Amino acid sequence: MISGDATLREALVAIDANRHGIVLTVDAGGAVIGLATDGDIRRKLLAGGSLEDPIAGCANARFVWADEGTSRELLLKQLDHRIRVIPLLDQGRRLVGIV
């Protein structure tokens, strides 16, 4: 997880470290506000973006996530070739796990 104000460079460092191919952006209170994939960042750079641009410019605020109480069966049904990772969030939208 990184701040929504972080740069694309910082996001890439985080993605490289976590090996999930994604980074979650959070607000000052720790609530998850967006998700960016390595592909999102690559497309931004190819469109003329800079490594110093804010991650907020390519993080998706309408990402797929699940409540921490979601059944395993439902979570598995959501995973497909397009959705590889599902963040599990609590009522305050704080990360409690990843599927």
Side-chain angles (χ1 to χ4, degrees):
M1 295 186 302
I2 60 173
S3 165
D5 298 328
T7 65
L8 296 181
R9 180 184 309 277
E10 292 168 313
L12 287 172
V13 168
I15 288 172
D16 189 53
N18 74 31
R19 304 203 184 270
H20 287 295
I22 67 161
V23 66
L24 298 168
T25 59
V26 296
D27 65 15
V32 178
I33 56 173
L35 180 147
T37 67
D38 53 354
D40 294 329
I41 296 170
R42 184 176 57 251
R43 284 185 287 281
K44 177 75 171 177
L45 293 171
L46 289 172
S50 158
L51 287 174
E52 301 313 314
D53 288 348
I55 187 64
C58 66
N60 180 2
R62 295 179 46 205
F63 61 96
V64 173
W65 62 277
D67 181 85
E68 61 185 325
T70 303
S71 73
R72 180 174 168 79
E73 180 181 339
L74 184 57
L75 290 169
L76 291 174
K77 285 182 182 179
Q78 288 183 299
L79 294 171
D80 61 21
H81 66 280
R82 194 177 62 82
I83 299 173
R84 299 177 296 162
V85 177
I86 301 173
L88 298 176
L89 306 180
D90 67 13
Q91 290 181 352
R93 289 189 59 119
R94 287 179 209 72
L95 183 69
V96 294
I98 293 180
V99 175

